Amino acid sequence: MTLLPQELFDMIIDEIHDKETLKACALVATSFLPPSQRNLFRGVQLGGYSRLTAAALAESPHLVSYVRDLTIYMWGVSENFLAEAVILHSVQRIESLLVGFGYWSHLGDEASSALLDCLLRPSLHRLELSDVLDVPAALILAATAIPVVELKSVSMAYLGEDISEQLHAPASAPASRTRHLILDDGGPASFAICDFLLYPRRNPAYTQQIERLELRIGQHSASHFERIIEACAATLKCLAVHATDLIRLPLLPSVLEVEIKVFIGDNRRLPLFFSSNLSQVASSLPLVETITLVFVVTPSPPEVRWPSVAPLPIFGPSFMDRTQLLHLRQVHCKLLRRAEYYSGDMRAVFDCFVPAMESRMPGLQGTGILKCSLVEDWWQA
């Protein structure tokens, strides 16, 4: 075994993704230990109910150098996060950071400061905040320096009645690097995030460099998220929206890909606002090449068929005149199975879905543009 190059051992172990197998490899030989540890500690979860990982990293500080993907759960009290503060200060090559489920104040001053410092690492390319309450404005400001930012049900700390000075970016603010922004409707909590990003006195580059935008738009957040879309219009190349109501799309001259996700109930009928939202694609996205329609369906028994209704306006028989959508190359219809609703065989449901889509888009028949697929798990959509 010693005659084989170490690089070969490293390459083989790098292909192992099961943690129990990696733990076993670490015990085989001295040469197996570093690559096994590197893969075991690439993704680390801190906080929550388990303190084992934080303890292991504290006892063996060299393991921190392997951490690339870090998750921090914030339930608990601030005294519990002192070990996390030390680890956050030590992680130098972090690539992805997820912080979720709790009040920002639970971190305490030491961990809060360490986490804000961590956001300034040049290696960090993705930040996700999920169900985090009362985040400081400084965190949102720092997040604009990260290429991919996802904010799901995030609320900002109260800024007071006169917010102008707090929203004004200081001269030392980091340069904007966000190119991919994901916003999830968190009710009124998401409105403050939009106001913060769009405040007139802030550097407009925070939104005018975004190339990919993903939005989950609720009834009350539509006007706020529409402002975000408009602010990104000049540079936006890909737009994905999951809307529960009618939205308004501005002219998006550079968008090449658009995704519209919609929930379908047991009656298999598209919501009334769907046709209007889709029709805007033709007038607002002159260069669009790919349209993806994701139908999140509650699969009733297979005998519940899709209703026979009129074609969608932009894909009716007149589509072949091609006065609009001149660059369109593909319309991809995805039937998305939500595992929490149904665990049975989706094939019969999908067999009804395909002809239903073809009947709604007669103008695409024979063009090779229309594609239908079944997505079995929600995270693959």
Side-chain angles (χ1 to χ4, degrees), residues 114-194:
L115 198 153
L116 287 170
D117 288 343
C118 194
L119 297 186
L120 303 178
R121 303 280 193 273
S123 59
L124 184 62
H125 73 266
R126 182 184 179 92
L127 170 68
E128 178 181 344
L129 301 180
S130 181
D131 295 282
V132 183
L133 304 178
D134 296 340
V135 300
L139 184 144
I140 303 299
L141 182 61
T144 62
I146 300 168
V148 181
V149 177
E150 180 171 2
L151 306 176
K152 299 166 57 178
S153 299
V154 174
S155 71
M156 293 182 63
Y158 180 61
L159 296 176
E161 295 297 328
D162 182 11
I163 64 173
S164 59
E165 290 304 318
Q166 297 178 70
L167 294 184
H168 180 55
S172 59
S176 175
R177 294 196 302 147
T178 301
R179 299 297 182 269
H180 184 175
L181 178 63
I182 306 163
L183 294 176
D184 191 8
D185 176 28
S190 61
F191 305 162
I193 299 290
C194 295

Side-chain angles (χ1 to χ4, degrees), residues 17-333:
H17 304 291
D18 177 68
K19 285 188 176 293
E20 294 304 316
T21 304
L22 287 169
K23 291 176 183 178
C25 287
L27 301 176
V28 170
T30 303
S31 58
F32 279 36
L33 183 60
S36 298
Q37 289 183 333
R38 183 175 66 246
N39 286 278
L40 274 170
F41 289 91
R42 177 180 179 86
V44 167
Q45 176 182 312
L46 303 177
Y49 297 112
S50 174
R51 317 303 300 173
L52 295 179
T53 303
L57 293 174
E59 292 177 5
S60 304
H62 74 282
L63 298 176
V64 178
S65 65
Y66 298 141
V67 176
R68 299 293 181 270
D69 306 316
L70 181 61
T71 297
I72 299 178
Y73 292 127
M74 297 196 302
W75 55 71
V77 293
S78 58
E79 297 81 47
N80 291 340
F81 289 97
L82 295 178
E84 277 78 356
V86 174
I87 293 168
L88 283 166
H89 280 304
S90 304
V91 174
Q92 296 298 318
R93 299 175 65 184
I94 186 171
E95 297 175 1
S96 174
L97 174 63
L98 187 157
V99 182
F101 304 104
Y103 285 86
W104 181 263
S105 58
H106 286 176
L107 289 175
D109 293 340
E110 287 290 332
S112 295
S113 176
L115 198 153
L116 287 170
D117 288 343
C118 194
L119 297 186
L120 303 178
R121 303 280 193 273
S123 59
L124 184 62
H125 73 266
R126 182 184 179 92
L127 170 68
E128 178 181 344
L129 301 180
S130 181
D131 295 282
V132 183
L133 304 178
D134 296 340
V135 300
L139 184 144
I140 303 299
L141 182 61
T144 62
I146 300 168
V148 181
V149 177
E150 180 171 2
L151 306 176
K152 299 166 57 178
S153 299
V154 174
S155 71
M156 293 182 63
Y158 180 61
L159 296 176
E161 295 297 328
D162 182 11
I163 64 173
S164 59
E165 290 304 318
Q166 297 178 70
L167 294 184
H168 180 55
S172 59
S176 175
R177 294 196 302 147
T178 301
R179 299 297 182 269
H180 184 175
L181 178 63
I182 306 163
L183 294 176
D184 191 8
D185 176 28
S190 61
F191 305 162
I193 299 290
C194 295
D195 290 340
F196 185 84
L197 292 173
L198 298 173
Y199 190 72
R201 292 179 62 187
R202 292 175 57 76
N203 186 341
Y206 292 135
T207 54
Q208 292 182 1
Q209 298 185 65
I210 293 173
E211 298 178 353
R212 181 179 179 88
L213 184 63
E214 299 181 41
L215 303 172
R216 182 182 176 92
I217 305 175
Q219 182 179 3
H220 301 293
S221 63
S223 61
H224 295 269
F225 284 171
E226 286 168 0
R227 292 166 56 210
I228 293 287
I229 297 175
E230 190 168 4
C232 302
T235 56
L236 203 59
K237 291 183 172 60
C238 181
L239 173 66
V241 294
H242 186 178
T244 59
D245 207 342
L246 182 66
I247 58 174
R248 178 184 58 85
L249 293 179
L251 178 64
L252 301 171
S254 301
V255 169
L256 303 178
E257 303 177 31
V258 63
E259 176 183 290
I260 299 177
K261 184 182 292 186
V262 64
F263 185 89
I264 305 295
D266 288 335
N267 60 11
R268 302 287 197 268
R269 289 187 179 275
L270 294 170
L272 295 177
F273 60 82
F274 177 78
S275 293
S276 297
N277 285 346
L278 182 60
S279 296
Q280 293 182 73
V281 171
S283 56
S284 300
L285 285 66
L287 296 183
V288 67
E289 297 177 353
T290 302
I291 299 174
T292 301
L293 305 177
V294 181
F295 301 93
V296 185
V297 64
T298 305
S300 299
E303 60 268 16
V304 179
R305 303 184 64 84
W306 295 76
S308 178
V309 291
L312 293 168
I314 64 173
F315 297 131
S318 63
F319 171 80
M320 291 309 298
D321 297 340
R322 298 302 287 260
T323 57
Q324 292 181 310
L325 299 173
L326 300 179
H327 301 272
L328 187 64
R329 299 292 179 266
Q330 184 177 93
V331 176
H332 188 182
C333 296

Side-chain angles (χ1 to χ4, degrees), residues 259 261 294-297 299 334-347 373-381:
E259 176 183 290
K261 184 182 292 186
V294 181
F295 301 93
V296 185
V297 64
K334 295 183 179 180
L335 182 66
L336 174 59
R337 179 180 75 90
R338 296 297 296 269
E340 66 267 34
Y341 296 131
Y342 185 74
S343 59
D345 182 16
M346 280 288 294
R347 185 54 53 183
S373 62
L374 174 62
V375 182
E376 287 285 355
D377 296 295
W378 65 269
W379 56 81
Q380 295 176 0

Side-chain angles (χ1 to χ4, degrees), residues 6-21:
Q6 180 65 36
E7 291 80 3
L8 181 59
F9 297 146
D10 293 352
M11 292 174 61
I12 294 173
I13 294 175
D14 283 345
E15 295 300 316
I16 300 173
H17 304 291
D18 177 68
K19 285 188 176 293
E20 294 304 316
T21 304

